[in-house]
Amino acid sequence: MNVLPRKVFNLTKQLCCSQIRCITSRVKKKPMKVQLKIKRPAEPVVKPQPPDDVYFIDKWRRNLLSVTEALEELRHIRELEERFLLDGEKNELLYATVFLNMRYTEPENNKRKYMGDIEGRLFYPCMFTSDWKVLAVVSGEEEEEMARIAGSDIIGGENLIPMIANDEIEFDFICATPTSVNLLTPVRKQLKEKFPSKKNGNLQNNIGEAVNKLKSVVLYKSKDRQENFTVPCGRVDFSAEDVDTNLHRLVKEMYKHRHAKIPAESYLTDLTLSTSLSTMYPLDIASYLPPKQQPKQEKPALPQWEEDLLVMNKLKQML
């Protein structure tokens, strides 16, 4: 092969580079055209409205019913149940679900606190019997007859004391009269809260009235910091006035447990009416809330000359 010497190769390389420089220097550069673009403000995008009416749960306006309207709906459901359920109750219980605001804010440290669980007994004006087992302690034949007519499950006197002490009989409530309550002294520690007292309504002169009250008593209790609980308030065949009267009594009982730092207007948040197999029908709670307390109007200040005149009259009386 014919190989060029190294000097000749370097010479040719230098010549080629000089030719390229000359060619590029002769080419005229064209001026650049600059176009200024003005950005216009973007037009607001109009979002299309949704085809359905969608609301957040807290913004949703519910259809609040009166007691009469809620009873009509529940009775209609009761008729449907009787058609398809052969073993359904004709006179079913009504249940009221109470929703309360049981939390308050401490002004010192702005901490939210729970006022505590509530429990108690409730006696309705329009009573209805329940399945409570009542024991009546009597001290004569007249009291025994009155307790039997009222529907007491267990009736007796001194013969019941050893049976109570040995837990041989089961009962939910016990009632007595002022003359027969002394018979229960040996088992007072065993009975504890069941011991008859005027506060609980199971110590009365009329043993028949005590049995009727205990047969229709309603127990309520909130558990595990739940702010709602369900309480029986009547039966399906009750009139709207009777149910409304019982609901007012129920709300009044709930307000006895209200903490002083919780406003009365925001304590009761909701109230519903239902049966065991129906949905909850929300009621209008405006009529169940306590009336708003109007602020006290301050007396207008007296003019200075009247105040001076009053002071002068008091000084004259003292002299």
Side-chain angles (χ1 to χ4, degrees):
M1 293 178 65
N2 296 328
V3 180
L4 292 171
R6 188 172 187 80
K7 289 184 178 180
V8 177
F9 178 77
N10 290 338
L11 240 153
T12 54
K13 187 177 179 182
Q14 288 176 4
L15 286 169
C16 291
C17 290
S18 62
Q19 289 176 359
I20 292 167
R21 285 181 193 136
C22 292
I23 293 166
T24 53
S25 62
R26 292 173 187 172
V27 176
K28 293 182 178 180
K29 294 182 179 180
K30 295 180 179 180
M32 294 179 66
K33 292 182 179 180
V34 180
Q35 293 182 355
L36 296 174
K37 293 183 178 180
I38 301 171
K39 290 186 177 181
R40 296 179 179 178
E43 295 181 358
V45 179
V46 180
K47 295 182 179 180
Q49 293 185 354
D52 297 332
D53 295 331
V54 182
Y55 303 94
F56 289 103
I57 292 176
D58 57 344
K59 303 294 183 184
W60 179 50
R61 293 183 179 179
R62 298 185 306 165
N63 184 21
L64 300 177
L65 305 177
S66 63
V67 176
T68 307
E69 293 170 343
L71 276 176
E72 288 178 359
E73 295 290 337
L74 292 171
R75 284 168 184 163
H76 178 64
I77 293 172
R78 182 66 256 171
E79 291 176 2
L80 295 176
E81 289 175 2
E82 288 178 359
R83 289 183 186 179
F84 302 104
L85 298 176
L86 298 177
D87 56 346
E89 287 186 37
K90 292 184 179 180
N91 194 9
E92 196 175 1
L93 282 173
L94 287 174
Y95 295 95
T97 305
V98 187
F99 295 82
L100 302 175
N101 175 26
M102 302 173 70
R103 301 180 187 276
Y104 61 94
T105 305
E106 285 284 356
E108 300 172 355
N109 47 19
N110 291 330
K111 286 187 177 180
R112 295 281 289 172
K113 289 191 175 181
Y114 182 75
M115 73 177 198
D117 296 331
I118 61 176
E119 61 177 323
R121 295 182 178 185
L122 180 61
F123 297 99
Y124 285 117
C126 304
M127 298 186 294
F128 53 93
T129 57
S130 57
D131 298 329
W132 300 120
K133 198 171 184 180
V134 179
L135 183 148
V137 180
V138 296
S139 60
E141 293 182 359
E142 292 183 6
E143 293 180 358
E144 184 178 350
E145 186 65 23
M146 291 171 65
R148 186 177 289 105
I149 294 170
S152 179
D153 300 285
I154 305 170
I155 305 171
E158 293 183 1
N159 58 330
L160 297 176
I161 306 305
M163 299 170 70
I164 296 172
N166 298 327
D167 293 331
E168 295 179 6
I169 50 177
E170 295 181 357
F171 55 90
D172 298 308
F173 299 106
I174 185 171
C175 61
T177 59
T179 55
S180 62
V181 71
N182 296 328
L183 301 174
L184 298 171
T185 305
V187 291
R188 181 165 191 164
K189 291 183 179 180
Q190 190 171 351
L191 292 173
K192 295 181 181 179
E193 296 178 355
K194 291 183 179 180
F195 192 82
S197 65
K198 291 183 179 180
K199 182 181 178 181
N200 295 333
N202 53 356
L203 179 61
Q204 294 186 13
N205 292 322
N206 191 336
I207 194 72
E209 290 183 4
V211 172
N212 287 329
K213 277 191 173 183
L214 293 175
K215 277 286 185 180
S216 59
V217 70
V218 174
L219 303 180
Y220 61 90
K221 185 178 182 180
S222 63
K223 296 181 180 179
D224 303 328
R225 296 192 171 187
Q226 290 182 355
E227 297 182 331
N228 63 297
F229 48 91
T230 304
V231 184
C233 64
R235 294 192 178 274
V236 178
D237 65 339
F238 274 26
S239 64
E241 294 178 356
D242 292 344
V243 177
D244 188 56
T245 304
N246 284 352
L247 288 175
H248 274 90
R249 179 69 183 86
L250 172 62
V251 173
K252 187 178 180 181
E253 183 72 18
M254 295 300 106
Y255 268 88
K256 290 181 180 178
H257 304 280
R258 181 179 66 89
H259 196 276
K261 294 182 180 179
I262 301 176
E265 298 82 11
S266 61
Y267 182 56
L268 178 67
T269 58
D270 205 354
L271 184 65
T272 64
L273 199 65
S274 62
T275 57
S276 58
L277 297 176
S278 72
T279 57
M280 294 181 180
Y281 290 95
L283 302 176
D284 189 4
I285 62 173
S287 61
Y288 300 102
L289 295 174
K292 293 182 179 179
Q293 295 181 355
Q294 296 181 355
K296 295 181 179 179
Q297 295 181 355
E298 297 182 357
K299 295 181 179 180
L302 295 173
Q304 189 64 35
W305 66 271
E306 287 190 10
E307 290 184 0
D308 295 341
L309 186 63
L310 289 172
V311 172
M312 292 294 293
N313 290 334
K314 287 182 180 179
L315 289 172
K316 286 180 181 179
Q317 290 176 2
M318 292 173 65
L319 295 172

